[in-house]
Amino acid sequence: MVLRLSLNRLVAVLAVAVILVFAVTISTSILSQASVGRIVSDLENRLLPVRDKSSQLALAYVNQETGLRGFLLTADPVTLEPYNFGTAEAERLVAELRTELSRTPDGGGLVNLFEDVVATADTWREQAAEPQIAAQLFGSRTQKQLSQIVLDGKELFDKLRERARALDTRIETLMAEGLERLRSVQRAAKLVQYSAAAALVVVIAGIVTIMVRMVNRPVARLVSDIGAVADGVYDSPIGGAGPNEVRVISTAVGAMRDSLIEAKKKQEAEKERFESVVGKTPSAVSVRDSQHRYTMVNAAFCQLFGYESTKEIIGRTEDEILPPEVLHRSRIAVPRLLAGDTSVEEESIQLGPDHALFVTHRFPLRNAAGAITEMVTIRTDITDSKKAEQEAAERAKWQDLVATAISEGRLLVYSQPIVDIATRETVEEELLLRLRTAGAEEILPPSAFLPQCEQHGLMPVIDPYMVGRAIELARNGRDVSVNITGQTICDATAIKKIIEALAAAGPNVADRIIFEITETTALASPAMAKAFSTSMSGLGCRMALDDFGTGYGTFTELRHLDLYALKIDQSFVRDMLKDPDAERVVNTIVAVARVYGLTTIAEGIESQEVLERLSDMGVDLAQGYFFGRPAPVGT
C-alpha cells in the first residue's frame, strides 16, 4: 500500500510526522520551562522570604523573652533593651508577613498558623511580660503574684514556641512539595525528549528505506539511453528519440527524474532536521555502516570521546575513534546486530582519571531490500543515578546495622570518669559509644563505625538511644554527660523524642544529665544550638561546650548558649608543657570561663605533671587516661 502512494504525498506525510514529533517535543519543553519558572518563582519570591521572616519573627520573640528574663533577674532597665528591640522587630515582621502570606501558595493555611502565632505572642506580652515588667518597676505585685505571673508567662511562651514551630514546619513542607513538583516536571520533560528522539530515529529510518525502494526499481527498468538516471545521475539528459513509446517513456522518466530530484532535497532536509534534534539529546548517538565507518554522530558523542566536531569523526572507522576497551565491546555486539537483534548493556568508559557508567543501546538499520546496512549505538550516561542507588543501598545497610545492634544489645555504652582536680574525686562520667560485632566478641571503637553513621545521617537514631541510657544511669544517682551531634540538633523528630524522655524522667533525673555539643556544631548552626540549649535548660539539664578552642570562633559568638562548662580540647592540654602557644590557649580559655562563671574541664590528662600545671592555672575538672580509660557503664 505504501508503494502505491505518490512520491510527493509520501514525503509530505513523513515530513508532517517528523514535524509533529518535533513540535510536541518543543511544546513540551516550553511548557516544562514555564512550569519550572513558576515553581522556582514561588519558592524564591514567596516561600523563601516567608521562611526567612518567620525565622526572624521567632528570633524577635526569643529576644523579648530573653530581655524580660534578664530584667527580672537584674532589675536593671538596661536589660530591657532586647525586649524592646524584639517587640519593635516583631511588629515590623508581623506586618510584612501578613502581606507576604497573602501571596503564598496555601496562603489560607499559613495565614491561620501565622495569626495563631501572633495571637499567642500578644497574649504572652499582655498577660505575662508587661505585668512582670510593671511589677518589677513599680512593685505593684506581691512576690506570690509575681511568681504566678512568671509561671503563667513560661507556659504562654512555650505555647508560642509550639505555634512558631508549627508555622515553620508548614513552610518547610510547602517548600519540599514545590521542589518535588519541580523534579517531577523535569523528569517528565526528559522522558518526552528521549521518546521523541527515538521516534525520530524510527521515522527517518523509515523515510530512507521507503525512498530507496521507490527510486531504484523504476530506474532499473529504463533502457540504456536513460542509464545515467538508472545510475542515479539525475542531471544527465534523457533521450527522446525513437518510437512514440520511447518518447512516452522518456517523458515519463523525465517527470520521474524531476520528482526524484525534489524528493532528494526533501530527504536531505529531513535528515538535517533529524540530525539537529539528535544533536541536542544528552545521549551519545552514532551510526556506522557495514565497514564500521561512521556516517552520523552527534555532539554528545564527540564530547564523550574527546573530539570538537562531527567532521573529525564522519567517514572514519571505529578503530580510529574508540578506546580499545570500548572498541572491543562494540565488535562483540556486531554478530548479533547483523543477525537483526538489538542489545542493551551497561558500559563503563574511562573519562580522564574517572570512569562513567552508560546504558548502551545498539540496533540495526535495514535498506529497502531488507538488508542490514547500518548499525546505531546510543549511549546514555547513568553514572549519577547509579551512584545515588549505591548511596541509598549503603545507607539502608547502615540503618539496618544500627537498628539490629540496638535491638540485640550490641550498641554498648562506656563511660570515662571526670575528676575534681582539687579533691581528686569523680564528680561526673562522660558516656562513650562502642559496637560489638555480630557473632563475635570484638568491640569496635567509635572511629570504626561512627563516621559512616554520620555520613548516612543516622546520628538522630543513635543520640536518642544514648540519651535513654543516660536517663537510666541518672535515675541510679550518677551524673553523666552525653554528646549530641549537629545532625540530631537539627532533627525535629529526634529532639522531640529526647524532650519527651527527659520530661517523663522528671527534673531530679534531668539535673544529673549534661549535654555536650562541639564548638564547631554551635558555630555551624547557632540558631539550632541556641534552641536546643534553651530547651534542655528548661528541663533542668546542663550544657557543656566540647572541644573548645578548635572551632575558629570566639566565645562572644557563643555566649547566647545557656552553658555550664567549657571543655578544653585535648590537643592543647597534651602539648601545653612543651608548647607555650598551647599553654596560652588553655590560660585564655580558663580566663574566659572565669569571667562568665563557667566550669572548666580539661581533656586528655595523661600525667601528674600536666595535672599539677592545670591545677595551678585554675582548671576545675579533668578527664583522661591518667584517671581511667573508658569502661562499660554496668548497671
Side-chain angles (χ1 to χ4, degrees):
M1 186 65 181
V2 174
L3 295 178
R4 294 179 183 178
L5 291 174
S6 69
L7 184 62
N8 289 339
R9 181 174 297 178
L10 177 63
V11 170
V13 170
L14 295 175
V16 168
V18 173
I19 292 171
L20 285 175
V21 174
F22 186 76
V24 169
T25 304
I26 296 300
S27 300
T28 303
S29 178
I30 293 172
L31 291 175
S32 298
Q33 291 176 2
S35 298
V36 169
R38 286 194 299 271
I39 296 171
V40 171
S41 176
D42 283 342
L43 291 174
E44 291 182 347
N45 301 328
R46 296 179 180 180
L47 284 176
L48 279 176
V50 167
R51 185 183 70 175
D52 294 341
K53 289 178 181 177
S54 175
S55 298
Q56 294 172 19
L57 180 60
L59 181 59
Y61 288 145
V62 172
N63 285 338
Q64 288 180 271
E65 199 269 347
T66 301
L68 173 63
R69 186 187 299 177
F71 177 66
L72 293 177
L73 291 174
T74 64
D76 185 356
V78 173
T79 60
L80 276 176
E81 290 182 1
Y83 175 85
N84 295 330
F85 172 78
T87 302
E89 188 70 1
E91 291 175 354
R92 177 182 69 80
L93 291 168
V94 166
E96 293 178 0
L97 274 169
R98 281 200 175 101
T99 301
E100 294 285 350
L101 287 172
S102 66
R103 301 184 294 109
T104 58
D106 190 42
L110 288 177
V111 167
N112 292 337
L113 291 172
F114 166 72
E115 293 298 345
D116 197 12
V117 171
V118 173
T120 305
D122 291 341
T123 301
W124 171 77
R125 187 172 60 255
E126 293 170 4
Q127 296 183 10
E130 293 179 358
Q132 292 177 51
I133 294 172
Q136 186 74 305
L137 286 173
F138 307 111
S140 58
R141 310 274 182 152
T142 66
Q143 185 62 38
K144 182 177 180 180
Q145 291 173 329
L146 182 58
S147 298
Q148 185 61 43
I149 292 173
V150 171
L151 182 61
D152 294 342
K154 183 180 184 304
E155 294 178 354
L156 287 172
F157 200 80
D158 288 341
K159 291 180 180 178
L160 175 58
R161 283 195 181 98
E162 291 177 1
R163 285 155 175 76
R165 281 195 294 269
L167 177 60
D168 289 343
T169 299
R170 183 55 187 163
I171 292 171
E172 293 297 333
T173 299
L174 288 175
M175 292 190 68
E177 292 172 354
L179 290 174
E180 182 55 34
R181 289 198 302 275
L182 179 61
R183 287 191 287 268
S184 178
V185 169
Q186 291 173 334
R187 287 195 297 268
K190 287 183 178 179
L191 178 60
V192 170
Q193 290 172 355
Y194 294 156
S195 300
L200 283 173
V201 170
V202 173
V203 170
I204 297 302
I207 291 174
V208 174
T209 301
I210 293 172
M211 293 302 296
V212 169
R213 293 179 62 186
M214 293 188 69
V215 171
N216 286 352
R217 288 179 181 176
V219 170
R221 299 190 184 104
L222 294 178
V223 292
S224 60
D225 59 344
I226 57 172
V229 176
D231 293 334
V233 182
Y234 301 126
D235 57 352
S236 298
I238 300 173
N244 183 60
E245 290 82 4
V246 173
R247 288 197 299 271
V248 171
I249 293 173
S250 298
T251 301
V253 171
M256 182 185 68
R257 180 193 61 185
D258 294 340
S259 296
L260 291 176
I261 291 172
E262 183 65 22
K264 183 175 177 63
K265 291 179 180 178
K266 291 183 178 181
Q267 181 181 351
E268 290 175 350
E270 296 301 330
K271 184 177 180 181
E272 289 178 1
R273 185 179 292 113
F274 163 72
E275 290 179 350
S276 175
V277 173
V278 172
K280 293 179 174 61
T281 180
S283 298
V285 180
S286 64
V287 181
R288 67 186 190 277
D289 60 20
S290 57
Q291 283 74 45
H292 303 293
R293 290 190 299 266
Y294 287 105
T295 58
M296 193 209 76
V297 295
N298 66 350
F301 182 91
C302 297
Q303 183 179 6
L304 175 60
F305 293 109
Y307 291 88
E308 295 184 359
S309 70
T310 59
K311 293 180 181 179
E312 297 180 72
I313 299 175
I314 299 299
R316 299 174 66 181
T317 65
E318 279 190 314
D319 304 63
E320 301 174 90
I321 301 300
L322 298 182
E325 68 279 4
V326 180
L327 175 64
H328 176 69
R329 288 191 293 268
S330 179
R331 289 298 174 85
I332 291 175
V334 167
R336 292 185 59 189
L337 298 179
L338 294 178
D341 295 334
T342 63
S343 70
V344 180
E345 64 176 348
E346 288 188 2
E347 185 176 21
S348 178
I349 299 177
Q350 185 167 358
L351 303 177
D354 302 318
H355 280 79
L357 191 63
F358 292 80
V359 170
T360 300
H361 296 254
R362 296 184 175 92
F363 56 90
L365 292 181
R366 299 177 183 272
N367 63 9
I372 296 173
T373 56
E374 292 180 306
M375 291 166 281
V376 179
T377 304
I378 302 176
R379 293 180 174 91
T380 303
D381 191 341
I382 61 169
T383 305
D384 291 340
S385 61
K386 275 292 184 181
K387 182 178 179 182
E389 291 175 5
Q390 292 169 355
E391 289 177 353
E394 186 70 9
R395 174 180 171 81
K397 183 189 80 172
W398 278 95
Q399 283 178 327
D400 181 67
L401 186 149
V402 170
T404 303
I406 291 175
S407 65
E408 294 179 354
R410 293 187 290 103
L411 200 61
L412 309 178
V413 178
Y414 279 43
S415 72
Q416 187 176 31
I418 299 175
V419 175
D420 186 313
I421 292 180
T423 64
R424 304 297 173 89
E425 294 180 355
T426 298
V427 294
E428 298 172 13
E429 304 171 69
E430 180 178 359
L431 301 186
L432 305 167
L433 198 60
R434 300 291 187 270
L435 177 66
R436 188 173 71 245
T437 56
E441 295 302 321
E442 181 183 4
I443 305 298
L444 300 180
S447 60
F449 63 94
L450 277 186
Q452 291 85 348
C453 293
E454 292 179 359
Q455 177 185 347
H456 297 294
L458 298 178
M459 298 313 296
V461 176
I462 293 175
D463 286 349
Y465 168 78
M466 290 293 288
V467 172
R469 295 302 309 275
I471 290 173
E472 294 174 8
L473 295 170
R475 281 198 179 101
N476 292 330
R478 296 165 73 166
D479 291 284
V480 294
S481 66
V482 60
N483 292 280
I484 293 293
T485 61
Q487 285 182 7
T488 300
I489 289 175
C490 296
D491 189 295
T493 301
I495 292 300
K496 181 181 178 182
K497 289 181 180 178
I498 291 173
I499 291 174
E500 290 175 350
L502 290 168
N508 291 335
V509 173
D511 184 58
R512 292 183 173 275
I513 297 176
I514 302 102
F515 286 102
E516 295 185 16
I517 63 171
T518 65
E519 180 184 6
T520 303
T521 296
L523 290 171
S525 305
M528 291 293 186
K530 180 180 179 181
F532 179 75
S533 171
T534 303
S535 299
M536 295 304 104
S537 297
L539 292 167
C541 299
R542 289 170 287 170
M543 180 80 66
L545 196 59
D546 197 10
D547 299 340
F548 188 68
T550 63
Y552 301 100
T554 66
F555 192 75
T556 305
E557 299 173 273
L558 304 170
R559 67 181 185 276
H560 59 276
L561 299 177
D562 191 358
L563 296 175
Y564 141 73
L566 297 180
K567 296 194 75 172
I568 306 169
D569 188 71
Q570 61 180 332
S571 62
F572 303 117
V573 175
R574 185 175 54 246
D575 300 333
M576 59 182 289
L577 295 183
K578 56 184 178 180
D579 184 353
D581 288 336
E583 184 173 9
R584 279 192 289 270
V585 170
V586 176
N587 260 321
T588 301
I589 295 173
V590 173
V592 169
R594 188 176 295 117
V595 168
Y596 285 93
L598 301 178
T599 298
T600 49
I601 305 172
E603 298 179 301
I605 312 301
E606 297 184 359
S607 68
Q608 179 68 30
E609 292 79 9
V610 171
L611 182 63
E612 291 175 356
R613 182 67 187 118
L614 291 171
S615 178
D616 295 339
M617 296 167 72
V619 176
D620 301 306
L621 307 179
Q623 177 182 358
Y625 287 170
F626 183 74
F627 304 106
R629 292 178 176 271
V633 295
T635 59

mmCIF file of all heavy atoms in Angstrom, residues 34 104 184 197 199 211 270 285 461 510 570 607 619:
data_model
loop_
_atom_site.group_PDB
_atom_site.id
_atom_site.type_symbol
_atom_site.label_atom_id
_atom_site.label_comp_id
_atom_site.label_asym_id
_atom_site.label_seq_id
_atom_site.Cartn_x
_atom_site.Cartn_y
_atom_site.Cartn_z
ATOM 1 N N ALA A 34 8.172 26.696 31.479
ATOM 2 C CA ALA A 34 7.241 27.619 32.122
ATOM 3 C C ALA A 34 6.852 27.115 33.501
ATOM 4 O O ALA A 34 6.798 27.890 34.465
ATOM 5 C CB ALA A 34 5.999 27.795 31.249
ATOM 6 N N THR A 104 1.271 33.778 49.040
ATOM 7 C CA THR A 104 1.967 32.495 49.017
ATOM 8 C C THR A 104 1.009 31.352 48.692
ATOM 9 O O THR A 104 -0.200 31.456 48.931
ATOM 10 C CB THR A 104 2.611 32.200 50.386
ATOM 11 O OG1 THR A 104 1.590 32.203 51.380
ATOM 12 C CG2 THR A 104 3.666 33.215 50.697
ATOM 13 N N SER A 184 9.534 16.547 39.389
ATOM 14 C CA SER A 184 8.586 15.784 38.579
ATOM 15 C C SER A 184 8.453 16.362 37.171
ATOM 16 O O SER A 184 8.446 15.628 36.182
ATOM 17 C CB SER A 184 7.217 15.771 39.275
ATOM 18 O OG SER A 184 6.272 15.082 38.479
ATOM 19 N N ALA A 197 13.171 11.579 20.511
ATOM 20 C CA ALA A 197 14.391 11.245 19.775
ATOM 21 C C ALA A 197 14.307 9.839 19.193
ATOM 22 O O ALA A 197 14.663 9.611 18.034
ATOM 23 C CB ALA A 197 15.601 11.370 20.697
ATOM 24 N N ALA A 199 11.549 8.230 18.474
ATOM 25 C CA ALA A 199 10.547 8.240 17.405
ATOM 26 C C ALA A 199 11.127 8.823 16.124
ATOM 27 O O ALA A 199 10.863 8.335 15.016
ATOM 28 C CB ALA A 199 9.318 9.039 17.849
ATOM 29 N N MET A 211 12.157 5.502 0.506
ATOM 30 C CA MET A 211 12.609 6.271 -0.649
ATOM 31 C C MET A 211 13.533 5.443 -1.548
ATOM 32 O O MET A 211 13.466 5.519 -2.778
ATOM 33 C CB MET A 211 13.326 7.536 -0.173
ATOM 34 C CG MET A 211 12.412 8.531 0.530
ATOM 35 S SD MET A 211 11.041 9.065 -0.514
ATOM 36 C CE MET A 211 11.925 9.893 -1.816
ATOM 37 N N GLU A 270 15.019 16.597 5.681
ATOM 38 C CA GLU A 270 14.562 15.796 6.807
ATOM 39 C C GLU A 270 15.745 15.230 7.593
ATOM 40 O O GLU A 270 15.722 15.167 8.820
ATOM 41 C CB GLU A 270 13.672 14.648 6.304
ATOM 42 C CG GLU A 270 12.380 15.093 5.648
ATOM 43 C CD GLU A 270 11.529 15.911 6.581
ATOM 44 O OE1 GLU A 270 11.599 15.675 7.807
ATOM 45 O OE2 GLU A 270 10.797 16.790 6.109
ATOM 46 N N VAL A 285 24.908 9.569 20.369
ATOM 47 C CA VAL A 285 24.307 8.787 19.283
ATOM 48 C C VAL A 285 25.306 8.673 18.138
ATOM 49 O O VAL A 285 25.945 9.664 17.751
ATOM 50 C CB VAL A 285 23.008 9.450 18.782
ATOM 51 C CG1 VAL A 285 22.378 8.622 17.656
ATOM 52 C CG2 VAL A 285 22.016 9.618 19.933
ATOM 53 N N VAL A 461 19.250 8.726 65.233
ATOM 54 C CA VAL A 461 18.795 7.452 65.810
ATOM 55 C C VAL A 461 19.672 7.088 67.009
ATOM 56 O O VAL A 461 19.162 6.647 68.052
ATOM 57 C CB VAL A 461 18.855 6.327 64.745
ATOM 58 C CG1 VAL A 461 18.470 4.984 65.354
ATOM 59 C CG2 VAL A 461 17.936 6.664 63.581
ATOM 60 N N ALA A 510 16.829 14.816 85.230
ATOM 61 C CA ALA A 510 17.412 15.720 84.231
ATOM 62 C C ALA A 510 18.548 16.544 84.819
ATOM 63 O O ALA A 510 19.516 16.888 84.121
ATOM 64 C CB ALA A 510 16.325 16.641 83.671
ATOM 65 N N GLN A 570 41.774 18.318 74.067
ATOM 66 C CA GLN A 570 42.981 17.622 74.496
ATOM 67 C C GLN A 570 44.204 17.988 73.665
ATOM 68 O O GLN A 570 45.341 17.812 74.107
ATOM 69 C CB GLN A 570 42.756 16.121 74.460
ATOM 70 C CG GLN A 570 42.434 15.566 73.089
ATOM 71 C CD GLN A 570 42.221 14.061 73.124
ATOM 72 O OE1 GLN A 570 42.777 13.373 73.974
ATOM 73 N NE2 GLN A 570 41.412 13.555 72.221
ATOM 74 N N SER A 607 49.319 12.599 82.630
ATOM 75 C CA SER A 607 50.472 12.617 83.539
ATOM 76 C C SER A 607 50.195 13.526 84.726
ATOM 77 O O SER A 607 49.369 14.448 84.660
ATOM 78 C CB SER A 607 51.727 13.117 82.793
ATOM 79 O OG SER A 607 51.588 14.481 82.460
ATOM 80 N N VAL A 619 42.125 25.303 86.552
ATOM 81 C CA VAL A 619 41.157 24.440 85.887
ATOM 82 C C VAL A 619 40.392 23.650 86.948
ATOM 83 O O VAL A 619 40.974 23.186 87.933
ATOM 84 C CB VAL A 619 41.860 23.488 84.896
ATOM 85 C CG1 VAL A 619 40.851 22.528 84.283
ATOM 86 C CG2 VAL A 619 42.557 24.298 83.816
#
